[in-house]
């Protein structure tokens, strides 16, 4: 389901910390490889070190992305229900990027940042 905001954002349900950071969302997301995203993470959610960081999406599935942030030593993530008074952790698109390993280098115009519905 699309949000009423453009560009769209996705609520984080889990974060797997490591040399690359894997992020799982509460619903399907439209992020694409190469897209540049930013994190908004409240203190109550843990993994606060991610807050305001930007990264390129290395890979994605319908409800996950992997980004090139080494989060090995970050605090663990804690899912905060959207029903609480705490602002939920989210990922927002901030720019289009070059599709990884594309030859010739190609900008992705199908990402969430650019892909605004016409109706």
């Amino acid at each position: 389901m699309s949000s009423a905001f453009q560009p769209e954002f996705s609520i984080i349900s889990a974060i797997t910390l490591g040399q690359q950071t894997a992020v799982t969302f509460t619903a399907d997301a439209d992020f694409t490889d190469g897209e540049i995203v930013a994190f908004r993470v409240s203190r109550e959610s843990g993994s606060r070190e991610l807050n305001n960081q930007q990264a390129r999406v290395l890979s994605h599935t319908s409800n996950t992305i992997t980004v090139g942030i080494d989060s090995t030593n970050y605090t663990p993530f804690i899912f905060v229900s959207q029903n609480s008074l705490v602002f939920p952790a989210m990922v927002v698109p901030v720019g289009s990027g070059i599709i990884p390993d594309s030859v010739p280098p190609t900008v992705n115009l199908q990402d969430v940042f650019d892909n605004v519905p016409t109706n």
Side-chain angles (χ1 to χ4, degrees):
M1 177 168 184
S2 297
S3 75
F5 299 98
Q6 293 297 337
E8 294 185 9
F9 62 87
S10 292
I11 304 297
I12 300 171
S13 63
I15 297 176
T16 302
L17 306 174
Q19 290 182 341
Q20 295 179 338
T21 301
V23 181
T24 303
F25 302 111
T26 58
D28 287 353
D30 291 327
F31 296 114
T32 59
D33 294 358
E35 186 168 6
I36 301 167
V37 297
F39 291 83
R40 304 295 182 256
V41 183
S42 65
R43 183 176 18 252
E44 295 81 5
S45 295
S47 295
R48 178 77 173 149
E49 300 89 344
L50 283 170
N51 191 47
N52 292 323
Q53 283 201 50
Q54 293 184 12
R56 183 176 314 278
V57 175
L58 302 176
S59 63
H60 74 284
T61 67
S62 63
N63 70 331
T64 66
I65 59 172
T66 299
V67 296
I69 295 176
D70 184 350
S71 59
T72 304
N73 296 316
Y74 289 8
T75 56
F77 179 77
I78 302 164
F79 177 69
V80 177
S81 169
Q82 294 178 46
N83 297 328
S84 73
L85 296 177
V86 176
F87 200 76
M90 65 179 63
V91 172
V92 295
V94 294
S96 296
I98 303 295
I99 299 170
D101 303 320
S102 61
V103 178
T106 305
V107 174
N108 186 351
L109 297 179
Q110 299 301 312
D111 57 30
V112 179
F113 191 77
D114 293 318
N115 194 10
V116 179
T118 57
N119 46 354

